[in-house]
Amino acid sequence: MKEVKIINQGLEDEMEVSGYRPCLWKMILVGVGAVCSGGLLLLLLYWLPEWGVKSTCTHTSLKDAHTVLLRTTDEFRQWFRAKVHVMLASGKKPFDSLDSQCENQLPNGDRDLSVSAAHEDRYGPFSHCQLVQVHYFTHHSTRYYWNDVMQNFELYKGLEDLNVSCESLHSDHSSGLSKALQDYRRLFFGENEIAVRVPSLFKLLIKEVLNPFYIFQLFSIILWSLEDYYYYASAIVFMSVISIVTSLYTIKKQYVMLHDMVAAHSVVRVSVCRQNKDIEQAMSTELVPGDVIVIPVNGMIMPCDAVLFHGTCIVNESMLTGESVPVTKTSLPSAGKDGVRIYNMEEHKKHTLYCGTHVIQTRFYTGELVKAVVVRTGFSTEKGQLVRSILYPKPTDFKLYHDAYLFLLCLVGVAGIGFIYTIIHSIMNKVPAKTIIIESLDIVTITVPPALPAAMTAGIVYAQRRLKHVGIFCISPQRINMCGQLNVVCFDKTGTLTEDGLDLWGIQRAEDGSFSSPESEVAKESLVNTAFVACMATCHSLTKIEGELSGDPLDLKMFSATGWILEEPTEEETALHNPIMPTVVRPPKHNTPEAHQSNSLTQSMELSELSACEIGIVRQFPFSSALQRMSVVVRRLGVKHMDAFLKGAPEVVASLCRQHTVPQMFTETLETYTRQGFRVIALAHRQLESKLSWHKVQSLSRDVIETNMEFLGLLIMQNKIKPETAGVLCELQQASIRTLMVTGDNMLTAISVARDCGMVRPHAKVIIADAVPPKDFQPARITWQYTENRAQAVKDNETVEIDLGEGTWDGTVSHQEQSYHFAVSGRAFAVIIEHFPHLIQKLVLRATVFARMAPDQKTQLVEVLQSMDYTVGMCGDGANDCGALKRAHSGISLSELEASVASPFTSSTSNISCVPNLIREGRAALITSFCVFKFMALYSIIQFISVTLLYSVLSNLGDFQFLFIDLIIILTIAFTMSLNSAWRELVWRRPPSSLISGQLLCSVLTQILTCLVFQVLAFVLVRQQSWYEIWTPQSDACNVSRSGFSVSVNVTGPHNDKNIRNYENTSLFYISTFQYLVVAIVFSKGKPFRQPSYKNWPFMLTCIGLYTFLLLIMLHPFPAVDSFLEIVCVPHDWRVTLVIIIIGNAAVSFLLEILILDIILWRLVFRGNRGAYRPARPSSAHAPQEANDRWASSVLSWMFCRRNKPPRALYMHLALELQEDGDWPPKPSTVTYASDPRSSISDLNVTAKQNATQAKPEASLKLV
């Protein structure tokens, strides 16, 4: 049984691994085969790693393997091979403890001199230890070590592998490592560096030249040289050299740029704490997981991933997240619920310093150092993972490229037919064996165009250049074509659809369990001493950098509205006080009320009777997306007790407050604001016990602080929609591109913004799917809540019929699509994925608003959409959207910072107008790729037909004829036809994504048949002319003509054995050269995806120039040109006949492509297949025409076997299913319970409906 194990299980780079060992007899056989094949067998094994391993090795267990064969488990199923190495170490795992002999042995201690120098250099401190063998292999800059327990290879990431708790990190890992233990761990984790090795030019050259394309070219050049086609072979060599040099320059430049970017700050000096309390200076390359480093006061560029366990840091993480706002990193909790949690880098990112990020400042107390434990090093760090994704990108998953290979295989099949025909025909005509071999192989080189890759790349390069002109930068050019197929785009809200900054609209304080009137002025004197303003002034993560306040835009607006001043102590001040508050806020002096002491008893919301208003921030619990809140512990100067302030999502804050302090009208008031699109934040306060000391507060978990709070009120922020948003969304919807909102904001705020910007139509219903996890023996359930419709209200929810817009339900998806939208919160999304997996795709199909979504949930949503066969775009500001931007087919970041590396596209404009621009250019690039591919395919087939016909008379095209066709016609046309820019509008049609689609295949096949017919016609007619004879140097057909051209232009010379000069050759040369131009113009389409070809002046000038030249040499022969191109003089009447044939060929080609394919077949067959999924047009006066269209469509669909053909895309198939489901969407106020996944929604709703009908009509109108 073949042993296959899985490594990286459940991760993105999951792979199957199997073991092999060398086999002598197989290696001998391969060696003999390589010699016999002239090295071709070795090339084949180089291209196919699986064959390379299996043909030289035999299968064995992984433990005994010398070579491992890896295969990815994703859709690409790539093969890799890796050699297994053996190293000697004193343990088998990096976190094993060393024995006392190894621990005490210092590098400069007494050792046995018999130990080899190499052994001593490598194992220095462990030379006297009992060493064991450790097997490992390296793949994509990552080491995998053999684990005897698992009987598999495993990856050691870092300290996280120990599953250590936060409390344990403080107690067991805060003292640092000994030098011996550090050296031991370095054996496993290697040097702490992200080493981007820049390959030598020689290595790059060998790798580039061994590309199958260049090997095929080498084969072609050798073949042409044997045929004495030196000029054409030289031209191909020249083009190949230019292509290789350009490619090598580009690749080398990219390597150097990446190396310089990584190496800029990769090696620094750091202060490392040792177990004996000493602090020593070391190079950052020596760090290993478990080391404790000191963060200097003036900051540093982090050389590793480390978790902060002592002190606070201000960090700029723009390199990773794209967020330019510095973030505050606090020390890891060491007690309470948070302390017993297992440390996780994602969960505890607010305490983790990431490699490559810039620590700007540190916050420390009385001489105590800011320390961090190294968690990951090298390529295991977040920055290392990013660099790995750039060094080893996944193949581009796009149907175009898959189909291109299939199409090339078809061309190879055609070449095989020509190959067999040539051999049989040549044998029948007793052609010499050498000529048979050369000519039969030559037909293969003709059929597969050598210039295809370069021509295909040109269109993408031009599109990338045009995108750069409109401020869109691309780091993954192959994804430009994907943008042409986008059919759903997800948008972040804040900073993307709406303005990044928030304006403070007002506040609404809570007093005695009820709300007071809204107030717009916060900085007035009467509010200075209130807890509400104190919370606004302290509950933030602002800091001063170079004298300027910096931090989250919301925090900046909130703090500036108070008019207070923030002061941070200098290093000198810190040394003088014990303890000292790291940050102090105070109101301006003129705002401090002098009589506040006398008013203190009458003001219920004051903190206490104080003589000063300065407040020191003792501890900060940073904002958490998962918790949706942040809090601070503060202390008024001169007061013994401390206070806690909390701000966050209103629902979350209210749940943490004492119930009697939350106003009864809380829900109604909140809905009033959120329905109007305001962003609402709740504030809360709690007075802490007097016995709490400063040191005690530092060790408390936030769960202890954030409870039993007193509700203070609401902060109402106005988030204005960007002026471009509504227009862009309307344009996308008119182009049949779905738009979704994925935000971390409040649900009702998100729905309001969705209505305001046009994402949800005014008359459309919005159904909130409110899911609750199982609790107290109750199964998980979804409550379907219908929000109020601004256009009209539902009068009777007991017998409610879902509003279908203008008409009533008629069973079509189109009306249903206009009727309702689902809205889902992040909590509900998680519950539905876990407990209702059978409903998630139904829900996502019609969901438009996703609120309170965590960053990882945004990525999950993109994956769900992709699983439904959507081509997904994601547009965000780069702050919390990095995962979704990377996962989407096309991620567009509105941030210009270094984090744009995470996104294939980055826009310099901070609004979503870049999205339609990108889609337009993507569609243009995709159509250009199709045009070029079709043209290059037709070029090969046309030349194949010409050569095959000439082979039948033992002739061929001449060297200079090949040269003229391939260089002058094909290359200039291929590179200029790609210059058409994008069409100015987005149309509802999308370009086909497949070369195997019916429309494209019909186009190619009809043009092939047309070219074949007219070439055969010319070939047959020329042989039937009265003046036709077997051409010899003495032939003079021109003098036979009565046209007046009596001058002989045939050049007398020695007869060519290759039989190039003859009437068939000349006639086919003229016909085929015009055919190349005809198909180029026919395929170079403009509207609706590209600008018309007449606006592409390089292409038009090229076509006009070539037409003029060809007509001139055909109708008015030039002896020098005829001699160069090896064509013979033919009568003028025959030349006129050829012109007529050419005109007829052009007319038929245009008629077939434009009239039949573009108008009739597309309108009635191919578009008809999508008609069911498009909004139906209302009936009009054109009903008879539509009836005729339907009749014709039915007939043609039957002819093309497309009648009732089900849609390929899963989301279309699902839409048709739901069209027949009368119980979808669920009725208002119904509840769906988790049940057997096989149950349908109609079964699940029966009980809920019965319960709903028993309730009063008034009750059913309320939201559950």
Side-chain angles (χ1 to χ4, degrees):
M1 181 69 181
K2 188 176 177 181
E3 182 187 24
V4 178
K5 295 290 184 72
I6 302 292
I7 58 175
N8 300 329
Q9 194 157 12
L11 301 178
E12 190 177 359
D13 52 353
E14 182 181 273
M15 291 179 289
E16 298 171 354
V17 57
S18 50
Y20 290 85
R21 55 182 173 81
C23 177
L24 183 61
W25 67 268
K26 285 188 176 183
M27 294 172 72
I28 293 173
L29 280 180
V30 168
V32 173
V35 172
C36 296
S37 63
L40 288 178
L41 178 60
L42 292 180
L43 271 175
L44 186 65
L45 299 183
Y46 169 77
W47 293 331
L48 301 169
E50 179 195 9
W51 291 14
V53 172
K54 291 182 178 179
S55 61
T56 57
C57 304
T58 55
H59 195 273
T60 186
S61 65
L62 278 177
K63 185 176 182 179
D64 302 321
H66 290 234
T67 301
V68 290
L69 190 61
L70 305 165
R71 191 182 193 187
T72 60
T73 57
D74 56 18
E75 66 271 26
F76 305 109
R77 307 290 286 170
Q78 287 180 284
W79 291 95
F80 301 96
R81 64 182 297 171
K83 186 174 176 57
V84 178
H85 301 275
V86 179
M87 76 172 184
L88 297 175
S90 58
K92 290 200 170 186
K93 292 188 176 183
F95 298 109
D96 288 348
S97 58
L98 297 178
D99 57 39
S100 57
Q101 182 184 3
C102 296
E103 188 72 35
N104 297 328
Q105 180 67 48
L106 297 175
N108 58 353
D110 296 330
R111 305 195 194 118
D112 185 355
L113 298 178
S114 64
V115 179
S116 69
H119 181 77
E120 190 149 340
D121 286 343
R122 181 165 178 79
Y123 306 105
F126 315 112
S127 303
H128 287 269
C129 302
Q130 185 174 359
L131 302 178
V132 295
Q133 289 188 342
V134 180
H135 294 248
Y136 72 93
F137 69 88
T138 304
H139 173 67
H140 286 177
S141 301
T142 304
R143 278 189 183 184
Y144 297 85
Y145 291 90
W146 176 253
N147 186 318
D148 281 325
V149 177
M150 295 169 52
Q151 287 293 297
N152 195 3
F153 286 94
E154 66 174 335
L155 165 68
Y156 297 128
K157 290 184 178 179
L159 210 58
E160 286 176 290
D161 296 335
L162 292 175
N163 290 327
V164 62
S165 68
C166 299
E167 187 178 14
S168 177
L169 267 172
H170 277 271
S171 59
D172 302 335
H173 298 273
S174 59
S175 58
L177 305 176
S178 65
K179 191 74 172 67
L181 194 55
Q182 185 193 51
D183 291 338
Y184 169 70
R185 287 189 182 179
R186 198 179 304 116
L187 290 176
F188 291 88
F189 292 106
E191 298 288 328
N192 175 34
E193 60 176 346
I194 302 171
V196 179
R197 313 288 183 199
V198 180
S200 65
L201 278 174
F202 179 74
K203 282 186 177 180
L204 288 175
L205 177 64
I206 295 299
K207 188 175 181 180
E208 187 73 14
V209 169
L210 291 182
N211 185 296
F213 168 67
Y214 288 117
I215 296 298
F216 178 71
Q217 279 198 337
L218 178 64
F219 163 75
S220 303
I221 289 165
I222 294 171
L223 188 65
W224 295 328
S225 299
L226 291 174
E227 292 184 276
D228 297 331
Y229 288 161
Y230 297 117
Y231 294 105
Y232 184 59
S234 301
I236 292 296
V237 168
F238 178 71
M239 285 195 301
S240 298
V241 168
I242 291 177
S243 176
I244 290 171
V245 169
T246 305
S247 180
L248 288 182
Y249 172 77
T250 305
I251 294 171
K252 181 86 173 179
K253 184 180 176 182
Q254 288 174 345
Y255 268 110
V256 170
M257 285 176 63
L258 186 59
H259 175 269
D260 292 346
M261 182 188 85
V262 172
H265 306 287
S266 61
V267 181
V268 294
R269 293 197 72 81
V270 292
S271 299
V272 183
C273 299
R274 294 294 174 210
Q275 283 184 333
N276 56 9
K277 306 295 184 183
D278 289 341
I279 295 178
E280 63 180 45
Q281 295 294 309
M283 299 305 295
S284 60
T285 52
E286 299 175 15
L287 295 175
V288 296
D291 269 328
V292 173
I293 59 173
V294 177
I295 311 296
V297 179
N298 55 352
M300 65 187 294
I301 302 290
M302 289 299 297
C304 57
D305 288 350
V307 59
L308 199 62
F309 71 89
H310 200 288
T312 305
C313 293
I314 310 298
V315 187
N316 184 344
E317 291 189 330
S318 60
M319 193 282 293
L320 287 178
T321 65
E323 181 59 76
S324 60
V325 177
V327 294
T328 302
K329 300 284 186 173
T330 57
S331 59
L332 192 71
S334 59
K337 282 185 181 178
D338 292 334
V340 297
R341 285 183 181 170
I342 300 299
Y343 171 75
N344 178 277
M345 189 173 284
E346 179 60 32
E347 184 181 343
H348 295 96
K349 61 184 177 182
K350 291 294 183 182
H351 316 289
T352 304
L353 305 173
Y354 293 104
C355 178
T357 58
H358 182 201
V359 178
I360 303 169
Q361 293 177 1
T362 61
R363 296 279 180 269
F364 57 96
Y365 307 94
T366 354
E368 297 198 22
L369 300 173
V370 178
K371 296 179 182 179
V373 181
V374 176
V375 179
R376 293 184 184 179
T377 58
F379 277 101
S380 295
T381 62
E382 287 292 306
K383 183 179 179 182
Q385 304 270 16
L386 186 61
V387 173
R388 278 185 69 226
S389 68
I390 298 171
L391 282 174
Y392 313 105
K394 278 193 172 185
T396 307
D397 179 23
F398 196 42
K399 199 163 174 47
L400 169 66
Y401 306 113
H402 175 72
D403 291 345
Y405 287 117
L406 290 178
F407 211 93
L408 282 176
L409 284 176
C410 293
L411 292 180
V412 170
V414 172
I417 295 171
F419 179 83
I420 296 169
Y421 164 77
T422 304
I423 292 175
I424 295 172
H425 185 269
S426 299
I427 292 173
M428 290 174 63
N429 285 276
K430 299 180 180 179
V431 176
K434 178 185 175 183
T435 307
I436 293 175
I437 294 171
I438 291 175
E439 288 189 347
S440 57
L441 290 175
D442 192 33
I443 205 83
V444 177
T445 66
I446 288 169
T447 313
V448 181
L452 178 62
M456 291 282 286
T457 304
I460 296 174
V461 172
Y462 295 148
Q464 189 175 6
R465 192 174 63 186
R466 288 193 297 268
L467 285 172
K468 192 174 180 180
H469 286 318
V470 295
I472 301 174
F473 303 94
C474 174
I475 63 169
S476 180
Q478 296 299 329
R479 287 184 182 261
I480 295 176
N481 276 341
M482 284 191 181
C483 296
Q485 278 295 309
L486 291 182
N487 48 21
V488 61
V489 182
C490 305
F491 292 96
D492 182 34
K493 184 180 78 69
T494 307
T496 304
L497 298 175
T498 61
E499 298 289 352
D500 198 13
L502 294 167
D503 296 319
L504 182 65
W505 180 84
I507 63 172
Q508 190 155 10
R509 293 185 296 144
E511 294 180 340
D512 301 323
S514 62
F515 281 115
S516 59
S517 301
E519 301 168 85
S520 59
E521 184 60 44
V522 181
K524 55 188 179 183
E525 291 188 12
S526 60
L527 296 178
V528 169
N529 259 17
T530 59
F532 193 97
V533 172
C535 184
M536 289 177 64
T538 57
C539 198
H540 53 70
S541 55
L542 301 179
T543 186
K544 275 194 173 180
I545 298 175
E546 298 180 354
E548 291 291 325
L549 270 181
S550 179
D552 186 89
L554 185 148
D555 287 347
L556 281 170
K557 283 285 183 184
M558 181 182 72
F559 184 76
S560 62
T562 65
W564 285 39
I565 297 167
L566 183 141
E567 295 177 346
E568 292 180 339
T570 62
E571 187 176 348
E572 293 77 12
E573 290 172 330
T574 303
L576 294 174
H577 300 81
N578 186 19
I580 185 168
M581 306 307 172
T583 303
V584 173
V585 294
R586 61 174 178 82
K589 292 180 180 178
H590 66 274
N591 273 3
T592 305
E594 297 175 0
H596 77 278
Q597 291 166 313
S598 61
N599 296 336
S600 59
L601 296 175
T602 60
Q603 301 235 1
S604 62
M605 298 307 293
E606 289 180 11
L607 291 173
S608 60
E609 301 84 354
L610 297 175
S611 59
C613 293
E614 288 86 354
I615 304 176
I617 301 174
V618 177
R619 189 167 181 204
Q620 224 177 55
F621 295 100
F623 176 77
S624 165
S625 298
L627 300 175
Q628 298 177 3
R629 63 182 186 266
M630 80 161 288
S631 60
V632 291
V633 177
V634 305
R635 180 176 173 183
R636 280 198 188 255
L637 299 185
V639 175
K640 292 182 180 179
H641 67 79
M642 298 184 189
D643 296 272
F645 289 112
L646 173 74
K647 85 166 192 287
E651 308 93 333
V652 174
V653 172
S655 68
L656 297 172
C657 291
R658 296 194 298 273
Q659 197 60 39
H660 71 274
T661 67
V662 180
Q664 291 183 353
M665 296 293 290
F666 169 77
T667 304
E668 292 81 356
T669 305
L670 178 61
E671 286 188 11
T672 301
Y673 288 122
T674 53
R675 287 187 194 283
Q676 298 176 56
F678 290 111
R679 183 169 182 181
V680 183
I681 295 162
L683 308 182
H685 159 252
R686 176 188 167 196
Q687 182 176 311
L688 301 177
E689 296 81 3
S690 302
K691 63 181 180 180
L692 279 180
S693 65
W694 178 87
H695 285 288
K696 182 73 172 173
V697 166
Q698 300 304 315
S699 61
L700 284 177
S701 70
R702 69 188 302 167
D703 291 335
V704 176
I705 300 292
E706 297 169 349
T707 185
N708 290 324
M709 307 293 285
E710 184 179 355
F711 191 80
L712 292 179
L714 302 175
L715 193 69
I716 301 108
M717 311 291 287
Q718 194 171 23
N719 194 195
K720 296 178 181 176
I721 296 174
K722 291 182 179 179
E724 302 85 2
T725 297
V728 169
L729 293 179
C730 180
E731 184 179 3
L732 292 175
Q733 288 167 352
Q734 287 177 348
S736 295
I737 297 172
R738 269 188 73 189
T739 54
L740 309 181
M741 182 191 297
V742 190
T743 178
D745 209 343
N746 175 278
M747 171 67 79
L748 294 177
T749 301
I751 293 173
S752 173
V753 172
R755 288 193 187 276
D756 290 341
C757 66
M759 197 174 279
V760 175
R761 299 292 181 189
H763 64 269
K765 287 284 184 189
V766 176
I767 307 169
I768 298 176
D770 186 15
V772 180
K775 187 179 180 181
D776 299 332
F777 305 105
Q778 291 290 324
R781 65 183 186 276
I782 306 174
T783 305
W784 308 95
Q785 305 175 358
Y786 279 51
T787 63
E788 287 182 13
N789 193 330
R790 292 183 182 180
Q792 61 182 29
V794 179
K795 295 181 179 179
D796 184 3
N797 272 0
E798 283 187 324
T799 58
V800 67
E801 290 295 333
I802 297 168
D803 180 27
L804 298 174
E806 298 176 2
T808 55
W809 172 252
D810 64 354
T812 63
V813 176
S814 56
H815 283 174
Q816 188 185 16
E817 285 190 342
Q818 297 174 10
S819 62
Y820 69 96
H821 301 261
F822 286 116
V824 186
S825 67
R827 184 187 69 165
F829 186 75
V831 172
I832 292 168
I833 280 186
E834 183 177 356
H835 299 284
F836 300 89
H838 57 295
L839 286 185
I840 187 65
Q841 290 187 342
K842 289 183 179 182
L843 202 62
V844 169
L845 182 72
R846 295 296 302 127
T848 302
V849 176
F850 294 86
R852 297 292 190 212
M853 295 286 279
D856 60 322
Q857 289 179 322
K858 293 183 180 183
T859 307
Q860 276 184 303
L861 173 62
V862 170
E863 290 172 345
V864 171
L865 287 166
Q866 289 173 334
S867 72
M868 296 169 66
D869 297 332
Y870 278 110
T871 307
V872 186
M874 175 72 196
C875 182
D877 58 2
N880 297 316
D881 311 311
C882 283
L885 288 170
K886 288 177 70 175
R887 179 68 65 184
H889 292 109
S890 174
I892 311 147
S893 170
L894 301 186
S895 165
E896 291 186 80
L897 300 167
E898 288 174 300
S900 57
V901 176
S903 175
F905 301 96
T906 305
S907 173
S908 59
T909 56
S910 58
N911 59 66
I912 64 171
S913 61
C914 60
V915 176
N917 286 335
L918 184 59
I919 296 175
R920 275 195 293 267
E921 288 296 344
R923 290 182 172 186
L926 186 56
I927 287 297
T928 297
S929 296
F930 286 135
C931 292
V932 170
F933 200 96
K934 286 161 62 179
F935 171 70
M936 296 300 288
L938 258 294
Y939 144 64
S940 297
I941 297 298
I942 290 170
Q943 200 168 80
F944 171 78
I945 294 169
S946 302
V947 171
T948 305
L949 289 172
L950 290 175
Y951 276 3
S952 68
V953 293
L954 304 181
S955 181
N956 199 352
L957 291 174
D959 192 8
F960 289 104
Q961 289 175 339
F962 277 123
L963 199 65
F964 177 78
I965 291 170
D966 292 350
L967 291 185
I968 307 301
I969 297 180
I970 301 303
L971 285 186
T972 53
I973 290 293
F975 285 109
T976 56
M977 76 187 300
S978 303
L979 288 170
N980 291 45
S981 55
W983 184 245
R984 60 182 177 270
E985 296 174 3
L986 274 180
V987 296
W988 67 266
R989 275 174 62 182
R990 276 189 300 276
S993 61
S994 170
L995 281 168
I996 315 299
S997 65
Q999 187 190 12
L1000 291 178
L1001 283 180
C1002 283
S1003 173
V1004 171
L1005 292 175
T1006 52
Q1007 294 303 323
I1008 288 174
L1009 289 173
T1010 303
C1011 294
L1012 175 65
V1013 166
F1014 281 94
Q1015 280 203 50
V1016 170
L1017 178 65
F1019 183 79
V1020 171
L1021 284 179
V1022 72
R1023 296 170 67 90
Q1024 293 177 355
Q1025 299 302 306
S1026 58
W1027 46 263
Y1028 175 81
E1029 62 179 357
I1030 303 300
W1031 188 90
T1032 64
Q1034 290 75 36
S1035 297
D1036 192 6
C1038 288
N1039 290 330
V1040 178
S1041 173
R1042 302 175 183 176
S1043 63
F1045 280 89
S1046 58
V1047 182
S1048 175
V1049 292
N1050 283 327
V1051 180
T1052 304
H1055 184 63
N1056 191 344
D1057 292 335
K1058 292 183 178 179
N1059 191 22
I1060 301 299
R1061 296 175 183 271
N1062 54 61
Y1063 299 120
E1064 293 92 340
N1065 172 288
T1066 300
S1067 300
L1068 290 181
F1069 174 75
Y1070 283 137
I1071 293 292
S1072 64
T1073 50
F1074 278 100
Q1075 284 182 338
Y1076 299 130
L1077 296 176
V1078 167
V1079 295
I1081 294 173
V1082 166
F1083 287 157
S1084 186
K1085 296 178 182 178
K1087 187 179 177 181
F1089 304 116
R1090 304 196 306 167
Q1091 292 288 348
S1093 291
Y1094 63 79
K1095 291 188 176 182
N1096 180 358
W1097 60 266
F1099 177 68
M1100 292 307 297
L1101 287 179
T1102 300
C1103 290
I1104 292 170
L1106 287 171
Y1107 268 120
T1108 304
F1109 174 76
L1110 289 171
L1111 283 171
L1112 192 62
I1113 65 170
M1114 189 168 72
L1115 295 177
H1116 193 283
F1118 294 94
V1121 175
D1122 285 3
S1123 175
F1124 178 77
L1125 293 176
E1126 299 183 87
I1127 56 180
V1128 299
C1129 185
V1130 293
H1132 186 264
D1133 288 349
W1134 178 242
R1135 295 174 188 273
V1136 173
T1137 304
L1138 288 178
V1139 171
I1140 294 170
I1141 292 174
I1142 288 164
I1143 293 172
N1145 187 345
V1148 172
S1149 292
F1150 276 98
L1151 192 68
L1152 286 173
E1153 183 73 16
I1154 295 172
L1155 179 62
I1156 296 180
L1157 280 171
D1158 285 358
I1159 297 177
I1160 298 177
L1161 288 182
W1162 171 257
R1163 180 180 174 186
L1164 300 178
V1165 180
F1166 301 117
R1167 188 183 72 176
N1169 191 50
R1170 301 184 183 187
Y1173 322 115
R1174 283 197 32 77
R1177 293 187 175 92
S1179 58
S1180 64
H1182 300 288
Q1185 178 63 39
E1186 290 181 3
N1188 291 334
D1189 284 353
R1190 281 196 296 270
W1191 177 83
S1193 177
S1194 300
V1195 173
L1196 289 170
S1197 295
W1198 175 79
M1199 290 174 60
F1200 283 87
C1201 303
R1202 296 176 67 90
R1203 189 167 180 82
N1204 297 325
K1205 187 176 180 181
R1208 290 184 180 179
L1210 179 60
Y1211 71 89
M1212 289 183 178
H1213 185 75
L1214 192 59
L1216 288 178
E1217 279 188 2
L1218 293 182
Q1219 171 185 337
E1220 306 298 329
D1221 191 345
D1223 290 304
W1224 190 265
K1227 299 299 185 287
S1229 303
T1230 57
V1231 180
T1232 302
Y1233 291 95
S1235 182
D1236 183 5
R1238 291 169 294 183
S1239 301
S1240 66
I1241 188 70
S1242 55
D1243 297 331
L1244 295 168
N1245 280 334
V1246 170
T1247 306
K1249 282 182 190 173
Q1250 292 172 351
N1251 294 337
T1253 54
Q1254 293 171 4
K1256 294 179 181 180
E1258 293 81 9
S1260 65
L1261 288 170
K1262 295 181 181 179
L1263 295 177
V1264 176

